[in-house]
Amino acid sequence: MTDHNRPFSEAEAEGLYRAIYERRDVRSQFLPEPIPDEVLARLLNAAHHAPSVGFMQPWDFVVIDSVEVRQQVLSIFERENQRAADNYSGERQQNYRSLKLQGILESPINLCITCDRSRGGTHVLGRNTIVETDLFSTCLAVQNLWLAARAEGIGVGWVSIIDQQQLADTLGLPEHVYPLAYLCLGYVSEFLDQPELQTKGWRSRLPLGDLVRRNGWDTRLEDGELLRCLSKENL
């Protein structure tokens, strides 16, 4: 059995699952310490090895260390965040306004992962029916980078409260390139035990056993070893 074909060792598998379970959306814990170029290169290479439909690899990576550019992005966030706050009222709005939802200036590097919607040409294998597979593939690159970052002790925060067209204009993106994920990256003072929105009482993690069905939507798991295993995973 070649090295590429062997199963992961117990320690290797444990490291993978640890990265998955300990990954956090970081907003408040960034340190000013810069990310070395060789570490950033490893993260980008991990993202670049994500699976993609038709092997189209639709992603590009815009590394943003300019304070001026980040201030422009922060202004976009602040306008959209005000609009988002207006969706709530009373105590819920107060709770929303108390949340820190970005680390654009606090993190040493911002990264925009884009999706080139023309990559691969007019007919991409596997994309004939579901044209959004380029976007889905780029999301997998985001996840690869996020898990690799956790393994390197680097926090990542996804700034989703942002106008995509204004962001594209700020970064000078071509019309066919979509700014899929705007991320803040940096070493952190700590990784929280629980997701911050759960800690702050915004939402809780749903029980896994409630989310698994068998052979169709209307049949939930009601008994059996799988359900017992899923219940243990909720602990």
Side-chain angles (χ1 to χ4, degrees):
M1 183 179 294
T2 67
D3 226 31
H4 283 161
N5 291 332
R6 66 175 177 80
F8 281 16
S9 69
E10 184 175 346
E12 290 168 336
E14 182 179 345
L16 172 61
Y17 282 111
R18 181 184 168 195
I20 292 171
Y21 296 140
E22 294 185 10
R23 180 212 58 79
R24 294 288 177 263
D25 193 356
V26 176
R27 289 100 172 226
S28 307
Q29 296 82 34
F30 285 112
L31 299 174
E33 179 183 350
I35 300 174
D37 286 346
E38 62 270 19
V39 177
L40 180 58
R42 285 199 295 269
L43 301 186
L44 296 175
N45 198 31
H48 186 47
H49 278 75
S52 62
V53 172
F55 203 38
M56 72 179 98
Q57 305 160 76
W59 43 73
D60 284 271
F61 307 98
V62 183
V63 179
I64 304 158
D65 53 15
S66 165
V67 174
E68 180 182 356
V69 174
R70 286 187 283 161
Q71 286 175 332
Q72 293 177 46
V73 175
L74 179 60
S75 294
I76 300 172
F77 164 84
E78 288 174 340
R79 287 193 295 270
E80 292 305 307
N81 193 46
Q82 177 59 51
R83 292 180 62 241
D86 292 340
N87 291 326
Y88 309 102
S89 60
E91 184 178 342
R92 190 68 163 171
Q93 185 180 83
Q94 292 177 10
N95 192 0
Y96 179 89
R97 292 185 183 280
S98 72
L99 299 172
K100 181 169 174 52
L101 300 176
Q102 54 78 29
I104 294 171
L105 296 182
E106 295 89 341
S107 57
I109 289 179
N110 292 182
L111 177 70
C112 186
I113 301 183
T114 65
C115 178
D116 184 341
R117 309 218 64 186
S118 68
R119 184 87 35 96
T122 305
H123 302 290
V124 175
L125 187 153
R127 194 186 172 198
N128 186 66
T129 305
I130 306 175
V131 296
E132 298 88 356
T133 51
D134 59 339
L135 300 172
F136 303 158
S137 298
T138 305
C139 285
L140 297 176
V142 176
Q143 180 77 337
N144 265 23
L145 180 135
W146 214 326
L147 295 178
R150 180 61 190 89
E152 297 275 3
I154 292 172
V156 177
W158 188 329
V159 183
S160 60
I161 306 170
I162 200 161
D163 185 288
Q164 299 298 83
Q165 186 56 60
Q166 292 179 28
L167 177 60
D169 292 342
T170 298
L171 299 179
L173 303 182
E175 185 175 346
H176 60 279
V177 174
Y178 179 74
L180 185 134
Y182 193 89
L183 307 174
C184 304
L185 279 70
Y187 292 103
V188 297
S189 58
E190 64 173 334
F191 287 97
L192 300 178
D193 290 339
Q194 299 290 337
E196 191 165 1
L197 291 183
Q198 180 167 318
T199 302
K200 297 290 181 64
W202 189 260
R203 281 187 67 86
S204 298
R205 190 177 302 280
L206 300 173
L208 177 58
D210 292 349
L211 306 177
V212 182
R213 295 163 168 82
R214 194 187 299 277
N215 297 323
W217 186 261
D218 291 334
T219 305
R220 292 182 178 272
L221 296 179
E222 294 183 353
D223 53 26
E225 186 61 25
L226 176 58
L227 182 59
R228 287 191 288 274
C229 291
L230 294 176
S231 297
K232 290 179 183 178
E233 288 298 313
N234 289 326
L235 299 178

